[in-house]
């Protein structure tokens, strides 16, 4: 046990170091700018939370984007009504997402396997449609909820178009145009925003590590390997599942609030089923059930989305400048299928390759490569990974 | 489960740690802090960001916008035949870039989603060092990106965005719009509708459910009310719905005799085609022929809708069949590069790029506040719409508005719209206070 703790401490130290020095580490691959690194951290938190549910219990939720969206809406409303300080916004978001998760979890967890997945998907899609149409007075529909200038005296405007920020006005905070979010005076965009997200990511990772190592985590794993046996021995598994579902939902709410903290805008498309699917992709791509895998997956997907989609024909053509002209045109045409607007094709191919050849995700890939270097490791390490496990 | 963990030994981590540590010794990423304004170009080149939808309901418009941007950059850099630079009333641009700097550009996909559009714009500003962002084929996206540019301290030259809000209640000092808006469409289209279909009509709206749809629905109602048109129902449809049949069947029993389609892009192509297939136009209601109106029209959409657009009224910002010198030069230049005529989306994006470049040249800097001052109240001609002016109070461009009708007998597959009336600028002008909103101060960032 003591050895385990020392190892974990070491893991945390390395993890914190990598996360905090990301601006320099990711510079060579063109990802060292605040917005993308913020996204890495935020979707990392989202994926870590998702992994607590999917990785440990095997319950595949297809509706986690709903919690992300609720977190964002709650945060932006906190900016509009109370204060531009991010702390109340984050608290509100996590609580809102947790409550909502309890509600959805209570209903959905009565079923398992594919039925559970479909139920969560249905709930998420319902939330999306509501946010898009019926709840427009709260969500501002497709345009998205935004922070506005303060309501001036004599103006008659709805809360969607003018804010009140009672706490800020109480303390007499002066505003110039449309304010930006702050952490007790420190602005939350750009690099400051990234470091804020990074520190929260480290805390979130630490909590996840503790859950993985705890008895509670062990119970969740037991549910994954054989829930029936647990039931026969007289253990009621549903409370454990509900708590795991809620924690996972709160992580998503936290990620949603951070999206709003770094960029105070909340749109309904954050709740769409594609967003729910994305976090499933992240987790599986990186390695479900591993601590670090979902983070790696989130990084890969956000990187592809931002950097690959920005490579246009012009850039490619210049890149292949060393080739003869005819070949240059041909190669540009061929490669342009996989970058620019075709970035999703690359993602699809990558996902296929990972699922077929590396069922344990990128983490398994890294382990195999490490295994090649450390031949003293026993062979069964890499072979046992191939055993397919049922989802329940 | 335990065999699934990441297995990296302490020794190997220490080794890589040492390597990384030495890499850390050469920090260079904080070096460009001392800028006078966001992304001040220090080298021989200046970077512009073209943020367009490459996927989704407005992808066709986005592709055409990108073509126009590339053409504009060529012309500013002195390549190609110069296009509308030759007819533009301001002759500051000499074909050697802007302020002596060569123009380079970066592109991104907005996916017609506010989130994705802002992420993409942020990348251009934070990573690629863009001093100006332009593009967008949806008002929702345009408003979201305009807000971002205001925060970041760069200029936003709105592309295809038709909602009143862009230069109305969501206007920003750093944002400028060349395209017209629904207020102008309403003012220009209503008299034509009155002459063609008569007074006392009962209208049914199908409206794309976001800022632009709401804005257009409101403007059409406002201007047709004056001569006794009433709205039977206004149904909101989700953006990118694809299938509109479930929305069209109720129209048949609603007692309406005019259908107003507040849709754009692929949505409009689908809803119009389906409405015609359902036989709406062959019907007689209240003793009158049933009519369909598409307030915002474009040649790209007309092409997609095929025969369904014949005889349909709408308004447009620009059409390639115009015979003024500017339009002719642009169509020739665009056509010889890409093999087909440009759309109105392409036209507005080309103009915006030229206008930005010209303003930067006249101001002698890329600083948003000085460049913006050069655009405010700027009067110009020769960009295809006759004499125009950028109004200082809301950064909206004012010009004549074209009312068009789908041609019954097109001469070619591109010749689909007939200009039935050019509504003069004086008739579509309005007081900017009726839309609410305020520009606020310029933000130079940094």
């Amino acid at each position: 046990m003591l050895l385990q703790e020392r190892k974990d401490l070491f893991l945390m130290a390395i993890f914190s170091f990598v996360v905090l020095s990301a601006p320099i580490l990711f510079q060579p691959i063109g990802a060292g700018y605040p917005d993308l690194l913020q996204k890495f951290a935020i979707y990392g938190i989202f994926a870590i939370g998702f992994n607590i549910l999917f990785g440990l219990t095997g319950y595949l939720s297809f509706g986690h984007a709903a919690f992300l969206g609720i977190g964002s809406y709650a945060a932006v409303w906190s900016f509009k009504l109370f204060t531009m300080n991010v702390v109340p916004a984050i608290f509100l978001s996590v609580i809102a997402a947790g409550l909502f998760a309890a509600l959805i979890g209570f209903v959905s967890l009565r079923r398992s396997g594919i039925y559970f997945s479909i139920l969560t998907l249905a709930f998420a899609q319902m939330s999306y449609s509501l946010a898009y149409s019926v709840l427009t007075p709260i969500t501002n529909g497709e345009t998205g909820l935004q922070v506005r200038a303060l309501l001036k005296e004599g103006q008659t405007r709805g809360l969607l178009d003018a804010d009140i920020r009672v706490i800020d006005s109480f303390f007499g905070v002066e505003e110039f145009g449309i304010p930006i979010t702050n952490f007790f005076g420190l602005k939350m965009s750009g690099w400051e925003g990234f470091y804020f997200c990074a520190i929260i990511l480290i805390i979130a990772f630490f909590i996840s590590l503790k859950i993985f190592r705890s008895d509670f985590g062990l119970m969740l794993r037991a549910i994954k390997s054989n829930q029936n046996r647990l039931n026969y021995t007289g253990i009621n598994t549903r409370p454990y599942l509900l708590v795991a579902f809620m924690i996972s939902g709160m992580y998503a709410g936290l990620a949603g609030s951070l999206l709003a903290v770094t960029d105070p805008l909340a749109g309904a498309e954050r709740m769409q089923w594609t967003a729910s699917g994305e976090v499933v992709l992240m987790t599986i791509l990186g390695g479900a059930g591993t601590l670090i895998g979902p983070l790696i997956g989130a990084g890969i997907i956000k990187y592809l989305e931002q950097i690959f989609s920005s490579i246009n024909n012009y850039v490619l053509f210049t890149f292949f400048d060393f080739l003869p002209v005819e070949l240059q045109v041909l190669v540009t045409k061929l490669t342009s299928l996989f970058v620019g607007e075709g970035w999703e094709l690359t993602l699809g191919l990558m996902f296929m390759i990972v699922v077929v050849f590396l069922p344990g995700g990128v983490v398994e890939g890294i382990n195999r490569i490490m295994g090649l270097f450390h031949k003293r490791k026993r062979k069964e390490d890499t072979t046992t990974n191939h055993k397919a496990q049922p989802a329940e | 489960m335990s065999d699934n963990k990441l297995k990296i030994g302490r020794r190997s981590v220490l080794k890589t740690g040492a390597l990384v540590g030495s890499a850390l010794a050469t920090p260079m990423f904080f070096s460009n802090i001392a800028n006078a304004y966001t992304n001040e170009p220090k080298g021989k080149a200046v970077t512009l960001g073209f943020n367009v939808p490459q996927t989704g309901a407005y992808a066709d418009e986005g592709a055409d916008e990108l073509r126009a941007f590339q053409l504009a950059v060529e012309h500013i850099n002195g390549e190609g035949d110069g296009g509308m630079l030759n007819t533009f009333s301001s002759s500051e641009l000499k074909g050697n870039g802007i302020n002596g700097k060569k123009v380079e550009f970066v592109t991104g996909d907005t996916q017609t989603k506010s989130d994705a559009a802002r992420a993409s714009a942020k990348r251009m500003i934070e990573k690629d060092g863009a001093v100006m962002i332009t593009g967008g084929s949806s008002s929702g996206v345009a408003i979201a990106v305009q807000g971002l540019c205001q925060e970041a301290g760069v200029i936003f030259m709105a592309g295809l965005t038709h909602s009143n809000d862009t230069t109305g209640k969501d206007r920003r000092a750093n944002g400028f719009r060349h395209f017209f808006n629904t207020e102008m469409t309403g003012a220009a289209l209503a008299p034509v509708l009155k002459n063609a279909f008569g007074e006392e009509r009962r209208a049914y709206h199908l409206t794309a459910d976001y800022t632009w749809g709401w804005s257009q629905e409101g403007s059409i109602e406002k201007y047709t009310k004056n001569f006794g048109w009433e709205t039977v129902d206004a149904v909101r449809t989700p953006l990118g719905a694809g299938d509109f049949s479930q929305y069209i069947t109720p129209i048949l029993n609603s007692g309406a005799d005019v259908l107003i389609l507040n849709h754009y892009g692929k949505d409009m192509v689908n809803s119009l085609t389906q409405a015609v297939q359902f036989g709406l136009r062959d019907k007689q209601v209240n003793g009158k022929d049933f009519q369909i109106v598409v307030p915002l029209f474009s040649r790209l959409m007309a092409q997609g809708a095929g025969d369904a657009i014949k005889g349909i009224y709408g308004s447009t910002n620009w059409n390639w069949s115009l015979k003024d010198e500017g339009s002719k030069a642009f169509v020739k230049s665009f056509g010889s590069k890409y093999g087909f005529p440009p759309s109105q989306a392409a036209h507005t994006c080309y103009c915006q790029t030229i206008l930005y470049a010209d303003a930067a040249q006249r101001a002698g800097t890329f600083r948003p506040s000085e460049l913006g001052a050069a655009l405010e109240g700027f009067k110009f001609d020769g960009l295809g719409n006759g004499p125009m002016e950028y109004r200082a109070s809301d950064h909206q461009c004012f010009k004549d508005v074209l009312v068009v009708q789908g041609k019954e007998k097109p001469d070619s597959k591109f010749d689909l719209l007939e200009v039935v009336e050019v509504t003069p600028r004086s008739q579509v002008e309005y007081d900017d206070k009726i839309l609410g909103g305020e520009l606020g101060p310029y933000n130079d960032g940094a």
Side-chain angles (χ1 to χ4, degrees), chain A residues 181-322:
Chain A
T181 51
N182 67 74
F183 177 69
F184 300 105
L186 189 69
K187 75 177 172 89
M188 279 293 110
S189 52
W191 289 114
E192 292 88 342
F194 163 69
Y195 282 109
F196 185 74
C197 294
I199 287 165
I200 291 190
L201 170 67
I202 292 168
I203 298 170
F205 183 75
F206 180 71
I207 295 173
S208 147
L209 182 81
K210 283 289 163 204
I211 292 176
F212 267 64
R213 301 277 185 261
S214 67
D215 293 348
F216 174 67
L218 199 64
M219 182 60 90
L220 296 181
R221 282 204 186 91
I223 292 174
K224 181 178 185 173
S225 58
N226 200 334
Q227 193 172 358
N228 282 335
R229 194 178 291 168
L230 278 179
N231 288 335
Y232 290 148
T233 50
I235 294 169
N236 184 7
T237 51
R238 202 174 296 149
Y240 290 97
L241 281 169
L242 189 60
V243 172
F245 192 79
M246 278 176 69
I247 293 175
S248 177
M250 285 159 96
Y251 265 81
L254 175 67
S257 75
L258 288 179
L259 281 177
V261 162
T262 52
D263 186 2
L265 173 130
E269 72 250 17
R270 259 175 216 171
M271 298 180 144
Q272 219 176 352
W273 66 270
T274 46
S276 296
E278 203 179 51
V279 69
V280 179
L281 283 190
M282 287 170 180
T283 311
I284 295 177
L285 194 64
T290 61
L291 271 169
I292 200 86
L295 255 175
I296 299 177
I300 292 174
I301 288 185
K302 286 293 144 192
Y303 181 76
L304 282 177
E305 184 183 280
Q306 275 306 308
I307 305 299
F308 264 58
S309 71
S310 72
I311 303 177
N312 53 36
N313 283 358
Y314 174 76
V315 176
L316 277 179
F317 197 74
T318 341
F319 180 75
F320 291 118
D321 215 17
F322 58 91

Side-chain angles (χ1 to χ4, degrees), chain A residues 4 6 10 14 17 21 23-25 27 30 33-35 38-39 132-133 136 140 142-143 146 148 152 155 157 161 176 178 180 190-191 213 221 224 262-263 265 269-270 272 274 288-290 292 305-307 309-310 312 314 340-341 343 360 363 366-367 370 377 381 384-385 389, chain B residues 1 3-10 12-14 17 20-21 23-24 26-27 29-30 54-55 70 102-109 111-116 118-120 122-123 126-128 138 140-141 143-144 147-148 151 169-170 172 209-211 214 238-239 436-438 441:
Chain A
Q4 183 73 40
R6 270 190 59 189
F10 183 66
I14 293 295
F17 172 77
S21 54
I24 299 158
L25 292 180
Q27 187 74 8
Y33 64 98
D35 183 57
Q38 286 164 11
K39 295 268 152 49
Y132 211 133
S133 52
T136 302
N140 207 15
E142 216 268 344
T143 315
Q146 294 177 39
R148 306 275 181 178
K152 291 194 187 104
Q155 276 181 333
R157 284 193 189 176
D161 293 324
F176 192 61
I178 289 163
I180 52 175
W191 289 114
R213 301 277 185 261
R221 282 204 186 91
K224 181 178 185 173
T262 52
D263 186 2
L265 173 130
E269 72 250 17
R270 259 175 216 171
Q272 219 176 352
T274 46
T290 61
I292 200 86
E305 184 183 280
Q306 275 306 308
I307 305 299
S309 71
S310 72
N312 53 36
Y314 174 76
E341 60 211 66
W343 67 270
V363 167
I366 297 175
N367 282 343
M370 287 296 177
K377 290 222 166 175
D381 265 352
T384 44
N385 276 344
Q389 280 195 329
Chain B
M1 269 333 291
D3 53 351
N4 231 2
K5 261 185 285 172
L6 186 61
K7 292 186 208 69
I8 302 177
R10 185 162 52 157
S12 59
V13 169
L14 286 176
V20 170
L24 288 184
T26 49
F29 78 107
F30 277 124
Q54 296 178 312
T55 47
Q70 288 175 0
K102 187 170 183 280
V103 178
E104 289 177 351
F105 65 91
V106 288
T107 62
D109 184 4
Q111 303 175 26
T112 323
K113 292 178 183 166
S114 307
D115 261 358
R118 278 170 82 107
S120 169
K122 273 191 175 174
R123 170 183 51 80
E126 292 176 355
K127 171 166 174 270
D128 304 319
S138 147
V141 166
I143 289 168
L148 174 83
E151 271 166 43
K169 73 180 167 70
D170 291 309
R172 295 283 185 277
D209 196 3
Y210 72 106
T211 169
W214 309 332
L239 181 62
E438 52 194 308

Side-chain angles (χ1 to χ4, degrees), chain A residues 7-19 202 205:
Chain A
K7 260 189 174 170
D8 285 351
L9 202 66
F10 183 66
L11 180 67
M12 278 311 299
I14 293 295
F15 180 76
S16 313
F17 172 77
V18 171
V19 169
I202 292 168
F205 183 75

